[in-house]
Amino acid sequence: MTKTTLGLIFTVIFVVLESTQFVFFGNLFQKVDSFLFGFLVFGFTVFVFVGWAFLFRPGEIRQALRTPFALLAVNLGAVVTFTAYLLSVQLLEPAITYTISAGTMPITAYLLYRMGLREGEDMRNRLESSGTLFILCSIIFLAVITILGWSGFVRGSQSTAIVGILLAMIDGVFFTLILVYSQRLNAAGVGPATVLGLRLPLYVLVTGSIALGSSGTPSDLDNHTIVAYAGIGFLLTIPPLYFLQKAVSMLPAITISALTALGPFVIFSLQLIEGRIDYSPATLAGLTIYIIGAVLCAFGAVRATVEG
């Protein structure tokens, strides 16, 4: 098997696992407290990755502690972004949460550039500018059809729809900030696996406190079932990051970007198979607008790299 073929397989696995994660969480959080779930999944993540770093990369932990502002920033960002994501995906159609969140990220990166942050990104050519405009249009379109009740699912009234949309946008904004400060930790000598573990302790502390302080899990599931669901959540959260990282080392960015842009369609298809969410042609139209924009941005990024 060639390196390119293996990279394609890894990318497809990433897209399928990440898409399954969104649909699974959207269904699960109708029955299980998202704070308890987040505490279990990400608590185990911290245990695995920080424990590994203490044993095999203690120098990276010392370097992270020497960069306290960036370390605090990624932890605060994780509290906001994961809370917003887990709440949004239980209020809205998962495909819409995913698309609004993902689409907010390049727009945030451009705004950070305009604000003077070195990690922000300018529009380098017309393809990137056009693609970002399509993405912005898709966010507006999906927001409007969700508020009007034309999407496949909203857990409540118009006000619920607005809250879910805002949470998805907050997720995208703060995840972009996590990437910014994660890059600064990487530049200080902290590896990606160590950063992944060290950016979650505050989130685990917050969600654990909320879960313990609540009156109980709003479900009829026993503790063993909840722990089993948390184990599935871990398998749907961490392995996709590994497969994506492997694919990055094997394929051109344009190929990875084009394949990952299909994520909303995969989520949309899985929703139909699951059967909990109604088919919505309006949602499908919004996802199509987003995918056109994402592919244009991918081509624009490659052109800028080649010409630069």
Side-chain angles (χ1 to χ4, degrees):
M1 185 178 296
T2 66
K3 183 178 180 181
T4 298
T5 302
L6 193 58
L8 289 171
I9 292 172
F10 284 148
T11 305
V12 170
I13 291 174
F14 163 75
V15 172
V16 171
L17 286 178
E18 187 183 46
S19 301
T20 303
Q21 173 198 130
F22 268 77
V23 177
F24 174 77
F25 287 172
N27 188 352
L28 182 65
F29 294 154
Q30 310 305 315
K31 302 174 287 185
V32 175
D33 180 4
S34 61
F35 291 107
L36 173 61
F37 184 85
F39 169 71
L40 293 173
V41 170
F42 293 110
F44 186 65
T45 303
V46 170
F47 174 77
V48 170
F49 283 89
V50 176
W52 175 86
F54 266 113
L55 291 174
F56 302 104
R57 297 286 192 275
E60 293 185 0
I61 293 180
R62 288 193 293 270
Q63 286 298 110
L65 294 175
R66 294 190 186 108
T67 318
F69 182 80
L71 188 60
L72 178 61
V74 295
N75 272 268
L76 290 173
V79 171
V80 176
T81 192
F82 286 121
T83 300
Y85 154 59
L86 294 176
L87 291 174
S88 179
V89 80
Q90 65 180 291
L91 298 179
L92 305 181
E93 188 174 344
I96 290 180
T97 289
Y98 177 95
T99 305
I100 291 177
S101 175
T104 302
M105 292 175 65
I107 297 170
T108 302
Y110 175 70
L111 293 176
L112 292 177
Y113 167 79
R114 299 295 298 179
M115 293 167 60
L117 270 72
R118 64 177 183 271
E119 291 88 356
E121 293 187 11
D122 191 15
M123 302 298 159
R124 294 168 290 183
N125 50 50
R126 290 183 179 178
L127 278 174
E128 280 193 335
S129 298
S130 300
T132 304
L133 183 59
F134 268 95
I135 289 173
L136 177 60
C137 289
S138 75
I139 292 174
I140 296 171
F141 182 86
L142 289 170
V144 170
I145 64 126
T146 300
I147 294 170
L148 293 178
W150 297 346
S151 67
F153 172 78
V154 173
R155 190 180 180 180
S157 61
Q158 283 189 336
S159 59
T160 302
I162 293 171
V163 170
I165 291 163
L166 291 175
L167 287 169
M169 295 176 67
I170 289 170
D171 174 30
V173 170
F174 278 86
F175 194 82
T176 306
L177 292 173
I178 288 175
L179 294 179
V180 166
Y181 288 102
S182 293
Q183 288 175 357
R184 295 188 183 184
L185 287 169
N186 291 154
V190 186
T194 304
V195 171
L196 178 60
L198 289 178
R199 75 189 189 193
L200 293 170
L202 182 59
Y203 175 76
V204 172
L205 179 63
V206 170
T207 54
S209 300
I210 294 174
L212 288 173
S214 64
S215 58
T217 303
S219 73
D220 296 325
L221 303 177
D222 58 40
N223 291 335
H224 292 92
T225 303
I226 294 172
V227 171
Y229 277 135
I232 296 172
F234 178 83
L235 293 176
L236 291 174
T237 301
I238 303 305
L241 300 176
Y242 169 79
F243 286 117
L244 179 62
Q245 190 59 46
K246 294 290 290 183
V248 166
S249 66
M250 298 177 178
L251 292 177
I254 182 67
T255 304
I256 295 175
S257 297
L259 287 174
T260 54
L262 297 176
F265 272 153
V266 177
I267 296 174
F268 188 79
S269 300
L270 290 175
Q271 290 176 177
L272 297 180
I273 295 172
E274 180 197 30
R276 179 178 65 90
I277 294 174
D278 296 331
Y279 169 77
S280 167
T283 297
L284 186 59
L287 302 186
T288 302
I289 297 170
Y290 168 80
I291 289 172
I292 292 171
V295 171
L296 286 173
C297 284
F299 278 103
V302 171
R303 174 175 291 182
T305 301
V306 171
E307 294 177 351

